[in-house]
Amino acid sequence: MTLTDTRRDADSQPHRRRGFIPDLDYADLAARIENGETAEPAKLSRIGIGLARWRNTHRDDPDADATSSDGSGAGAPQGKHRAADPDWRSALATTADGARGAGGGRMTSVPAPIEYEASSVQLCGLNPWAIGAAAPNSGTIVGQHAVTGEAVACDPFAYFRDNHIANPSMFVLSLPGLGKSSLIRKVLLGATAWGQTPIVAGDIKAEYVALTTMLGGQVVTLGHGGGHLNPLAAGTLGHAVVRLRTARTDAAAAGDTARVEHLGELLGTAELTVRTRQVNAVCALVELIRYDTHSVRAFENSIIGIALDELYSAGGGFDYANPPLIRDLYQRIDTGSEAMLRATYQTTRGGYRTHITELMQALGALISGPLGTIFADHTSQPLDLDAPMICIDVSSLDRGDTTLKAAVMLSCWADAYGTVEAAHLLADAGLDRQRLFLLALDELWQVIGAGPGMVARVNEISRLNRTDATGLLMITHTGRDLETLPTEADIKTAKGFIDRAGMVVCGGLPIGEVERLSGELKFTTAEQDMVTSWSRGAALRSAERRTARSPIGRGKFLIKVAKDNTPGIPIQTVFTDLEIDSGVHNTNARFADYFDTAAPTAADDTAAGPVLR
């Protein structure tokens, strides 16, 4: 048997080539088209493709136009050479070895295309999902995704539980009037539903009083004409000490030695914590009153501690249920004792009084004057651990009296954090359930600017909130607010709040603010344009159109769960019918009459003069 090259035979017979119609005489068709006897077939039709292939196959053959495909000679006129096809009608001829022409030929194997693999962060501009990963929906739902419409949650505790962030804290930046307080209220409202206890320790503008009242929470009012706050009261932590003592007595009566030992350790820690907090509270108030040095000397700190120990001793007449007042501390220090004389390194009464003069002057300012109206009496409303939400309203304080505001804010934070420690103490003793607390610091620029000790206090909470099972919400207008503090050390400490925050939420911000935050947050170009566009107000409209428009950025926020270039989550907050009907988010209540007043009509304006249209 002899093997023959069938490829050559196949190549010599056009009707066996791919794209050719066997029964069609392409030479005759080409001649008729050349003479104008028939129209050119469609380029992508089967006849058109076959004709193009036939022309390319016979382009170099001088007798192709004079001979038909069947050899009969029926074709173009004898001696007339067919012109070459134009570029738009040319097609590469194919053979069994591949395409004919430059770069053609046989390929022994077809290589696989190169594949590249990368995350959506690196290829966010090359794939349809340029907004990053799916929006988290675990925790408190606050609105919907601004692009996809998907429900979006913004919950520090849920984000922390799902490992989206490293600690349960959130820093919110937005210009005034764009809904940042409304967003925080929705977060606090959801926190109560999840069994957490929100605490607003110093509501400067009374923006959370309505929500607390609606939830049946506790509203504590401090200020001129309001309640009182005793810095020496043990508060909730003192009540926890009393419960621990009772539980230890019961355990001893039952013969449970291990529990007695465990409760004894907790009780010793609690009593030491109470005393330390009392001393620190008095020292902080003394530092605020001393405008020049802002410092308490070592022997003064010792005298305050010794006086408190004597007041709480067996013959002092005070205990955690009946705490002393500032005036009682004043009288004890003024009377003096052997221990106090040793603390001042004095042996005579005259030398002792000389050393304590400045301390007594500062304590006297806490008994009388503006500070005395708040700190000179027993606490009006001790904080209630069982309340679903706690709000300390300090909106009635004189905004110009920075010393009074700072003193009240420091005392509020000490009381609030004492409540948190008391809850954890009771949980460790098995006397109560483990509670989670969510502390809100709205108008952060006023809180940290109230006094020299506030930055350190917030800094302490921001570092230990994960250990203390406490979430932290910090809200301010811009990052520039953190640069207005009196000392360079406070400014550097305050800038660390953004770095340590588990998540950062940005509302409408000016372009300069976005550039200023570039050291702490990485914004993509699209995110920069989005955030800055939200800072614009409503579009200008004719006065004749009664429908009011909201600013374009109201309720819009960008959630950044990482400090790198990970894309953020743009959201639009959505209010429920209950929130709208209750008016809990209406912070423009004082403008209600003005907003409800109808604009003057053309007839009314005629009497007053010409009207511009």
Side-chain angles (χ1 to χ4, degrees):
M1 179 181 294
T2 302
L3 297 178
T4 59
D5 190 356
T6 58
R7 294 178 300 171
R8 184 184 302 270
D9 295 338
D11 189 59
S12 63
Q13 301 180 32
H15 62 275
R16 297 184 61 180
R17 301 272 311 281
R18 181 169 59 88
F20 283 84
I21 301 177
D23 299 330
L24 184 61
D25 187 349
Y26 284 97
D28 179 70
L29 176 62
R32 286 188 286 110
I33 293 175
E34 185 97 9
N35 297 330
E37 298 175 3
T38 184
E40 184 79 22
K43 183 179 179 180
L44 298 181
S45 66
R46 188 177 179 186
I47 297 177
I49 294 175
L51 179 62
R53 292 186 182 278
W54 182 87
R55 284 170 172 168
N56 283 303
T57 302
H58 299 81
R59 177 178 296 179
D60 299 328
D61 186 0
D63 299 326
D65 292 333
T67 306
S68 64
S69 59
D70 59 359
S72 62
Q78 187 71 23
K80 186 176 180 181
H81 184 70
R82 181 180 61 84
D85 288 340
D87 292 338
W88 61 268
R89 202 168 59 182
S90 63
L92 290 177
T94 58
T95 67
D97 295 329
R100 175 180 296 177
R106 182 178 180 83
M107 293 188 67
T108 57
S109 63
V110 179
I114 301 176
E115 295 183 4
Y116 297 93
E117 182 177 349
S119 67
S120 58
V121 174
Q122 297 166 308
L123 296 180
C124 59
L126 302 178
N127 61 46
W129 301 280
I131 58 174
N137 57 7
S138 60
T140 301
I141 302 295
V142 297
Q144 61 186 19
H145 199 287
V147 178
T148 65
E150 182 183 0
V152 180
C154 185
D155 189 329
F157 280 116
Y159 277 39
F160 176 64
R161 179 196 61 202
D162 297 339
N163 295 322
H164 298 313
I165 57 179
N167 64 86
S169 61
M170 183 170 73
F171 201 102
V172 181
L173 292 161
S174 179
L175 291 177
L178 297 181
K180 60 182 181 300
S181 296
S182 297
L183 173 66
I184 297 302
R185 277 189 291 268
K186 291 186 70 68
V187 173
L188 297 180
L189 180 62
T192 60
W194 290 102
Q196 304 154 15
T197 304
I199 301 179
V200 183
D203 190 357
I204 297 178
K205 298 195 301 184
E207 293 183 323
Y208 301 93
V209 173
L211 176 63
T212 307
T213 304
M214 185 180 71
L215 295 174
Q218 181 185 25
V219 178
V220 179
T221 303
L222 294 176
H224 301 299
H228 303 283
L229 180 61
N230 181 15
L232 300 180
T236 310
L237 195 56
H239 293 296
V241 170
V242 175
R243 292 183 60 181
L244 284 175
R245 288 176 176 173
T246 304
R248 186 179 62 173
T249 303
D250 295 340
D256 192 347
T257 306
R259 180 163 177 77
V260 170
E261 183 179 353
H262 176 61
L263 292 176
E265 294 177 355
L266 294 176
L267 189 57
T269 302
E271 291 175 342
L272 180 60
T273 302
V274 170
R275 187 55 40 81
T276 302
R277 285 194 171 277
Q278 289 174 328
V279 174
N280 290 340
V282 176
C283 290
L285 294 176
V286 171
E287 288 179 349
L288 288 174
I289 294 173
R290 294 176 175 175
Y291 302 100
D292 48 357
T293 60
H294 291 297
S295 62
V296 174
R297 285 173 285 186
F299 77 90
E300 292 175 331
N301 191 305
S302 300
I303 289 176
I304 294 173
I306 293 171
L308 287 172
D309 289 338
E310 293 178 357
L311 289 173
Y312 277 94
S313 62
F318 298 99
D319 54 26
Y320 293 118
N322 181 31
L325 297 173
I326 293 292
R327 68 169 64 94
D328 300 316
L329 178 66
Y330 181 94
Q331 293 173 359
R332 175 65 66 174
I333 296 177
D334 183 58
T335 302
S337 65
E338 291 296 329
M340 295 182 193
L341 264 64
R342 287 194 299 270
T344 57
Y345 202 67
Q346 296 295 318
T347 58
T348 63
R349 176 72 177 172
Y352 170 75
R353 293 184 67 87
T354 301
H355 276 71
I356 67 171
T357 298
E358 293 183 2
L359 176 61
M360 299 304 292
Q361 290 173 343
L363 293 177
L366 294 174
I367 299 174
S368 60
L371 294 174
T373 59
I374 297 178
F375 297 109
D377 208 341
H378 289 286
T379 300
S380 303
Q381 294 177 269
L383 300 186
D384 184 8
L385 264 180
D386 295 326
M389 181 174 177
I390 300 173
C391 176
I392 303 178
D393 179 15
V394 296
S395 59
S396 61
L397 292 176
D398 185 2
R399 297 181 182 179
D401 194 341
T402 57
T403 302
L404 176 61
K405 182 169 64 175
V408 173
M409 294 296 295
L410 277 171
S411 300
C412 289
W413 272 103
D415 201 14
Y417 218 71
T419 302
V420 173
E421 291 182 336
H424 296 333
L425 184 65
L426 295 175
D428 292 341
L431 301 177
D432 205 342
R433 63 180 177 87
Q434 179 64 61
R435 300 173 185 264
L436 299 180
F437 294 89
L438 188 60
L439 303 182
L441 272 175
D442 202 352
E443 302 295 334
L444 181 65
W445 65 275
Q446 291 197 53
V447 175
I448 62 179
M454 291 306 301
V455 176
R457 187 59 180 164
V458 177
N459 182 51
E460 176 188 351
I461 298 173
S462 66
R463 292 179 182 272
L464 300 177
N465 61 324
R466 180 167 54 89
T467 305
D468 296 335
T470 302
L472 183 62
L473 309 178
M474 296 172 285
I475 309 99
T476 191
H477 296 146
T478 63
R480 189 186 293 272
D481 297 338
L482 306 179
E483 302 175 0
T484 59
L485 298 173
T487 64
E488 187 66 24
D490 285 346
I491 293 175
K492 292 181 179 180
T493 302
K495 286 184 176 180
F497 296 161
I498 299 179
D499 296 332
R500 289 192 300 274
M503 54 194 293
V504 180
V505 180
C506 299
L509 295 172
I511 182 63
E513 180 62 24
V514 175
E515 295 174 352
R516 185 179 297 106
L517 292 173
S518 60
E520 290 80 18
L521 292 175
K522 300 298 182 182
F523 292 94
T524 65
T525 303
E527 289 175 345
Q528 291 183 11
D529 296 340
M530 183 186 304
V531 171
T532 54
S533 68
W534 292 343
S535 64
R536 297 196 305 265
L540 299 178
R541 306 185 69 180
S542 171
E544 294 180 351
R545 303 183 68 174
R546 304 288 184 175
T547 304
R549 285 185 176 179
S550 298
I552 187 174
R554 180 169 294 173
K556 293 184 174 66
F557 297 93
L558 181 68
I559 302 176
K560 301 284 286 186
V561 296
K563 306 303 189 299
D564 56 8
N565 58 350
T566 302
I569 306 171
I571 67 170
Q572 168 70 61
T573 55
V574 178
F575 296 154
T576 62
D577 293 339
L578 178 60
E579 291 174 302
I580 297 174
D581 295 339
S582 64
V584 70
H585 296 297
N586 183 16
T587 57
N588 294 326
R590 294 187 181 275
F591 287 94
D593 294 339
Y594 175 73
F595 290 160
D596 293 340
T597 303
T601 61
D604 296 333
D605 293 337
T606 304
V611 180
L612 297 178
R613 298 299 186 193

